[in-house]
Amino acid sequence: LRHTADPDGKLYCTGLFLQLLAELAECSRQPSLLQADGSYRHVRKAKEYIFAHLHEPIRQQEIAAQLGITPEHLCAVFRRCEGIPMMTFINRIKLERIHTLIHREKLPLYRAAELFGYSDPNYVSRLYRKLFGKKQQRYFLPSL
């Protein structure tokens, strides 16, 4: 699409420039993101890991090990930069995707939850209710 819509690549460069400006604006609103200890880099790398492994169970220890830092340090910098605990962030992202699957694909909650690495449908139901403020209709397998 880039080659046909904009053969010179000007729109592509403009988009990159606007993205850079948005990131700089975010950093100016949150000066703690530009800390010398690499906190922002750790959070960015943690988010990359989270999105790459969204369909699996994700543990803080695994992410911290990938980054070469302690889980405690990771949790502290994530909360400082994002304003919420890392597990809350992970659950929120997964639950938003589950919510989409339930409504678009008409999947039952327990099936959609399995696709994102959750093994306990009751736990997911509680999280879902907490985030969306309503109880998701349960679907049971028919007895044979």
Side-chain angles (χ1 to χ4, degrees), residues 7 16 33-34 72 116-117 132 144:
L16 289 177
L33 293 180
L34 296 174
E72 294 80 15
F116 286 91
F132 294 107
L144 300 175

Short mmCIF file of all heavy atoms in Angstrom, two decimals, residues 7 16 33-34 72 116-117 132 144:
data_model
loop_
_atom_site.label_atom_id
_atom_site.label_comp_id
_atom_site.label_asym_id
_atom_site.label_seq_id
_atom_site.Cartn_x
_atom_site.Cartn_y
_atom_site.Cartn_z
N PRO A 7 4.36 6.81 -3.49
CA PRO A 7 5.62 6.25 -4.00
C PRO A 7 6.87 6.90 -3.41
O PRO A 7 7.90 6.28 -3.31
CB PRO A 7 5.54 6.46 -5.51
CG PRO A 7 4.45 7.44 -5.73
CD PRO A 7 3.56 7.41 -4.54
N LEU A 16 5.66 8.47 10.87
CA LEU A 16 6.72 8.21 11.85
C LEU A 16 7.03 9.45 12.67
O LEU A 16 7.23 9.38 13.88
CB LEU A 16 7.99 7.70 11.16
CG LEU A 16 7.94 6.30 10.59
CD1 LEU A 16 9.25 5.99 9.87
CD2 LEU A 16 7.70 5.29 11.69
N LEU A 33 9.33 9.02 33.11
CA LEU A 33 9.59 8.05 32.05
C LEU A 33 11.01 8.14 31.52
O LEU A 33 11.54 7.20 30.96
CB LEU A 33 8.61 8.24 30.89
CG LEU A 33 7.16 7.94 31.17
CD1 LEU A 33 6.33 8.18 29.92
CD2 LEU A 33 6.96 6.52 31.65
N LEU A 34 11.64 9.29 31.69
CA LEU A 34 12.97 9.49 31.14
C LEU A 34 14.05 9.33 32.20
O LEU A 34 14.98 10.11 32.26
CB LEU A 34 13.06 10.89 30.50
CG LEU A 34 12.16 11.11 29.31
CD1 LEU A 34 12.22 12.56 28.85
CD2 LEU A 34 12.55 10.19 28.18
N GLU A 72 10.68 -7.80 41.50
CA GLU A 72 10.29 -6.67 42.36
C GLU A 72 10.61 -5.33 41.68
O GLU A 72 9.79 -4.40 41.70
CB GLU A 72 11.01 -6.75 43.71
CG GLU A 72 10.60 -7.95 44.55
CD GLU A 72 11.28 -9.25 44.13
OE1 GLU A 72 12.28 -9.22 43.38
OE2 GLU A 72 10.79 -10.32 44.57
N PHE A 116 -6.50 -17.39 25.84
CA PHE A 116 -5.56 -16.41 26.36
C PHE A 116 -4.81 -16.92 27.59
O PHE A 116 -4.29 -16.15 28.38
CB PHE A 116 -6.27 -15.09 26.67
CG PHE A 116 -6.61 -14.34 25.42
CD1 PHE A 116 -7.82 -14.53 24.78
CD2 PHE A 116 -5.69 -13.49 24.83
CE1 PHE A 116 -8.13 -13.85 23.61
CE2 PHE A 116 -5.98 -12.82 23.66
CZ PHE A 116 -7.20 -13.01 23.05
N GLY A 117 -4.76 -18.24 27.74
CA GLY A 117 -3.91 -18.84 28.76
C GLY A 117 -4.50 -18.96 30.14
O GLY A 117 -3.79 -19.30 31.08
N PHE A 132 -15.79 -5.14 33.51
CA PHE A 132 -16.91 -4.70 32.67
C PHE A 132 -18.20 -4.45 33.46
O PHE A 132 -19.18 -4.01 32.89
CB PHE A 132 -17.16 -5.72 31.55
CG PHE A 132 -16.02 -5.80 30.58
CD1 PHE A 132 -15.17 -6.89 30.58
CD2 PHE A 132 -15.78 -4.77 29.69
CE1 PHE A 132 -14.11 -6.96 29.70
CE2 PHE A 132 -14.71 -4.83 28.81
CZ PHE A 132 -13.88 -5.92 28.82
N LEU A 144 -24.46 -35.35 27.51
CA LEU A 144 -24.74 -36.39 26.49
C LEU A 144 -25.43 -37.58 27.09
O LEU A 144 -25.37 -37.97 28.15
CB LEU A 144 -23.44 -36.82 25.80
CG LEU A 144 -22.73 -35.68 25.08
CD1 LEU A 144 -21.38 -36.19 24.55
CD2 LEU A 144 -23.55 -35.17 23.93
#
